[in-house]
Amino acid sequence: MVVELVGAFNELTERMDNTVLSTSSSRLLFKSLKLCIPILQSLPLAPDGRAPLSRALSVAVILADLQMDAEVISTGLLREVLEAGAISIYDVRDRIGTSTSHLLHESLRVKHMSLKVEVLDDDSATALRKFCLTYYDVRALVLDLAIKLDMMRHLDYLPRYRQQMIGLEVMKLHAPLAHAIGTNLLSLELEDLSFRYLFPYSYLYLDAWLRSHESGNKPLIDVCKEQLLQSLKSDPLLTEIVSKISVEGRYKSRYSTMKKLLRDGRKLEEVNDILGLRVILTPLSGVDESEMGEKACYRAREVVQSLWEEIPSRSKDYILRPKANGYKSLHMAVDTGENGRTRPLMEIQIRTAEMDILASGGAASHALYKGGVTDPEEAKHLKAIMMAAAELAALRLQDFPSANHKGLETDKRGRVFRLLDKNGDGKISIDELMEVMEDLGAPGDDAREMMQLLDSNSDGFLSSDEFDLFQNQVEFIRNLEDRDDHYQTLLNEKLQIGNETGLIPLYSTQQGDSLVTN
């Protein structure tokens, strides 16, 4: 359990940005993990076949990747414990804190929001989304969406009709809600997973077509992204006027692609934004940054034109003629085909860092529109509510680093050591180690045995170097567990196919990991 505690804390904090990871938030997360781990490890497997601890950590990782604060991540861990009946919301209030128990209570309210309507048609789903945006804590909504995403990733154990019922609810309610609060990573995956369960054959058709354009084992978008970034960084004219060049890439979701095919009656090869790259340029600081930035954008466009064939009818210059809301960017569509091989058209946006910030500022209104809010005044009102809620959430755990820890290390792995070293003397005593292990339900003898194992110089204390060696061992053990889970999944898939066909599939590295049946 100590290995799991240290490993889980490190995995979560390494994904979190330093701006949301203060001293008090680290303590909160550590305290929540200490409470959850022994309880979750004692519970039976969940209906989807996963261990409750694995499910809770999976949700926590999604929240950490979304850069949610420690209170939201802790609530995600505690939800699993609470729903198992192993702890009450009053226990959370007494042992973790009032604000965390309040957020946990709010998340339970959100969980049952779909019960507020009898029939989930378009009108009721739109009304329900507006209700959620107005009356629920936005962090509780994000938590609920993260739990929904984790559930959608593991729906295969359910019968087909249940998969479709859940997929329909997520498609109508949760995916647009994720759009509305600006969590696009959640919304796109929720849409695609719903699409996969609602229309499996259409999904497989699109997925196979996209994969047919990949280069070896590497996604096509990554190949194009690396090619463009290298060309931009090696261009002497561009490097003279910019200090930073970044290229972001994305696939248009399977669901969005299918919507476009059905709405416009296009063929797959005629959809010009299945692949998308965004070039963001930071001009050198100076008096003419705006002018220099625009010059850099046009130079980057010339670099793109030297790489791929531009489709002029699809290109737009929003720098020369900005949109009414002030949006500026260069939009291009290019043909990435080579050596007679056809590939999907790719959309490329080129802008400065300042233009990107302005575009992101307007993204909230666009996201609300995608979430079903079509009235501009209503969108403005809801956006103000969301911004206020987000600001309150950011302030709730804001603090300064503790003065007890002098010379605070910048590396996140040192946070566990500092949390265990409660008196701040730079070493972990047997009493400090015993306190943590007793919280995990281990007897004092276990703490003494662990101290003997880790205390390499036998001075009765754990130094930061000795504890760092232990953390390396933790990382190694957890990687082994992940690999075991991966191989177990592969084995289960093979046995499942074997049960259905009488053939056990094998993957042959000699044939490029192609599927072979024996």
Side-chain angles (χ1 to χ4, degrees):
M1 283 192 286
V2 174
V3 168
E4 196 60 62
L5 172 65
V6 173
F9 182 85
N10 283 339
E11 182 178 8
L12 294 173
T13 53
E14 283 169 5
R15 293 169 181 269
M16 297 166 68
D17 192 86
N18 278 322
T19 57
V20 297
L21 195 59
S22 62
T23 303
S24 64
S25 62
S26 295
R27 289 199 190 105
L28 172 63
L29 185 58
F30 195 68
K31 189 162 56 173
S32 300
L33 283 167
K34 279 199 299 181
L35 173 61
C36 292
I37 286 174
I39 297 174
L40 291 172
Q41 284 195 337
S42 67
L43 296 175
L45 294 179
D48 61 7
R50 290 186 294 161
L53 179 58
S54 176
R55 289 211 319 180
L57 289 177
S58 179
V59 171
V61 164
I62 294 172
L63 294 168
D65 286 339
L66 290 170
Q67 297 307 312
M68 300 307 293
D69 62 40
E71 195 166 67
V72 182
I73 298 172
S74 297
T75 306
L77 293 164
L78 292 162
R79 264 281 293 265
E80 188 77 24
V81 180
L82 186 72
E83 293 185 329
I87 197 172
S88 73
I89 204 161
Y90 301 105
D91 293 327
V92 174
R93 181 195 63 189
D94 296 338
R95 300 178 66 176
I96 303 297
T98 303
S99 59
T100 304
S101 65
H102 172 76
L103 183 57
L104 187 57
H105 171 71
E106 187 77 356
S107 74
L108 293 175
R109 288 179 61 222
V110 174
K111 176 187 176 183
H112 302 296
M113 63 180 169
S114 60
L115 301 178
K116 293 182 179 295
V117 294
E118 293 182 3
V119 180
L120 197 64
D121 55 16
D122 289 343
D123 291 339
S124 61
T126 301
L128 192 53
R129 291 196 301 268
K130 293 178 184 178
F131 178 84
C132 291
L133 290 168
T134 307
Y135 293 107
Y136 288 135
D137 185 331
V138 69
R139 298 179 307 153
L141 293 175
V142 174
L143 170 56
D144 186 69
L145 291 169
I147 292 171
K148 280 289 185 297
L149 177 57
D150 179 67
M151 179 187 69
M152 291 295 291
R153 288 174 175 174
H154 302 88
L155 271 192
D156 289 340
Y157 76 100
L158 288 176
R160 179 99 172 84
Y161 79 95
R162 286 282 297 143
Q163 293 173 354
Q164 291 194 312
M165 286 175 63
I166 294 171
L168 183 62
E169 180 182 315
V170 168
M171 181 74 81
K172 280 188 169 291
L173 182 60
H174 298 95
L177 189 60
H179 270 301
I181 59 177
T183 52
N184 290 333
L185 288 175
L186 285 181
S187 61
L188 292 175
E189 190 172 353
L190 285 170
E191 283 178 346
D192 273 6
L193 288 169
S194 300
F195 177 34
R196 173 186 160 196
Y197 285 111
L198 288 169
F199 307 102
Y201 296 109
S202 298
Y203 179 89
L204 288 172
Y205 168 69
L206 270 179
D207 189 64
W209 183 80
L210 285 171
R211 292 182 184 279
S212 70
H213 297 287
E214 292 183 357
S215 301
N217 294 324
K218 205 166 194 178
L220 178 57
I221 192 68
D222 290 342
V223 174
C224 295
K225 176 182 171 181
E226 291 176 10
Q227 188 178 358
L228 177 56
L229 184 60
Q230 185 177 352
S231 298
L232 291 170
K233 286 187 173 181
S234 60
D235 182 71
L237 294 177
L238 193 58
T239 52
E240 284 181 2
I241 55 177
V242 298
S243 60
K244 183 180 177 183
I245 302 171
S246 67
V247 179
E248 301 170 354
R250 63 109 183 101
Y251 267 120
K252 191 176 186 68
S253 73
R254 272 65 167 166
Y255 174 67
S256 296
T257 304
M258 180 56 74
K259 278 204 305 184
K260 185 160 284 192
L261 294 174
L262 294 174
R263 185 181 65 232
D264 302 339
R266 300 186 194 180
K267 297 178 180 178
L268 271 169
E269 56 271 17
E270 293 173 346
V271 180
N272 68 299
D273 60 347
I274 286 178
L275 301 173
L277 294 179
R278 179 176 296 161
V279 178
I280 301 174
L281 306 167
T282 305
L284 293 169
S285 57
V287 290
D288 297 323
E289 282 185 47
S290 179
E291 181 183 342
M292 200 65 71
E294 292 184 6
K295 183 179 177 182
C297 289
Y298 287 112
R299 178 56 192 169
R301 182 172 69 174
E302 292 174 359
V303 173
V304 172
Q305 290 167 338
S306 70
L307 281 175
W308 300 298
E309 181 184 351
E310 185 180 5
I311 312 297
S313 61
R314 300 282 186 182
S315 298
K316 294 179 181 176
D317 187 342
Y318 292 117
I319 293 179
L320 184 63
R321 286 178 289 277
K323 291 186 178 182
N325 62 1
Y327 175 86
K328 287 185 174 184
S329 186
L330 294 177
H331 288 204
M332 306 173 65
V334 297
D335 182 357
T336 60
E338 57 182 18
N339 301 325
R341 184 181 180 185
T342 59
R343 284 176 172 171
L345 297 180
M346 180 164 63
E347 182 186 79
I348 300 177
Q349 298 175 355
I350 304 171
R351 59 181 66 157
T352 64
E354 183 182 4
M355 294 174 191
D356 189 55
I357 291 171
L358 291 172
S360 300
S365 298
H366 172 69
L368 285 166
Y369 172 78
K370 297 280 275 187
V373 182
T374 54
D375 179 64
E377 288 304 314
E378 187 179 6
K380 189 184 298 183
H381 174 63
L382 290 175
K383 179 181 174 183
I385 293 173
M386 288 159 51
M387 295 298 287
E391 186 176 352
L392 176 63
L395 288 171
R396 189 172 279 171
L397 281 176
Q398 189 177 31
D399 68 351
F400 295 98
S402 170
N404 293 332
H405 300 293
K406 297 178 175 61
L408 211 59
E409 298 94 337
T410 55
D411 65 299
K412 293 178 180 176
R413 286 187 56 171
R415 290 182 185 274
V416 185
F417 181 82
R418 295 193 295 274
L419 287 165
L420 293 173
D421 175 23
K422 292 196 171 182
N423 61 9
D425 63 355
K427 55 190 177 183
I428 300 170
S429 67
I430 182 64
D431 291 334
E432 289 168 330
L433 183 61
M434 194 176 294
E435 182 181 339
V436 173
M437 293 189 68
E438 284 176 353
D439 287 341
L440 292 171
D445 289 343
D446 285 357
R448 283 185 282 273
E449 186 176 346
M450 186 172 180
M451 177 66 81
Q452 290 176 357
L453 285 170
L454 303 182
D455 181 16
S456 56
N457 62 2
S458 302
D459 64 350
F461 296 92
L462 295 182
S463 67
S464 59
D465 288 339
E466 288 169 334
F467 194 76
D468 192 53
L469 180 61
F470 170 62
Q471 293 207 70
N472 289 334
Q473 294 168 338
V474 168
E475 201 170 306
F476 176 74
I477 292 169
R478 284 172 63 86
N479 286 338
L480 279 180
E481 290 174 353
D482 290 342
R483 288 174 64 186
D484 286 344
D485 290 342
H486 172 68
Y487 290 130
Q488 183 66 50
T489 302
L490 287 179
L491 177 61
N492 290 340
E493 289 174 355
K494 290 180 182 181
L495 293 176
Q496 179 66 31
I497 296 173
N499 289 337
E500 294 173 355
T501 65
L503 300 172
I504 302 296
L506 301 173
Y507 289 91
S508 169
T509 53
Q510 289 80 7
Q511 299 186 33
D513 287 333
S514 58
L515 189 64
V516 183
T517 55
N518 288 329

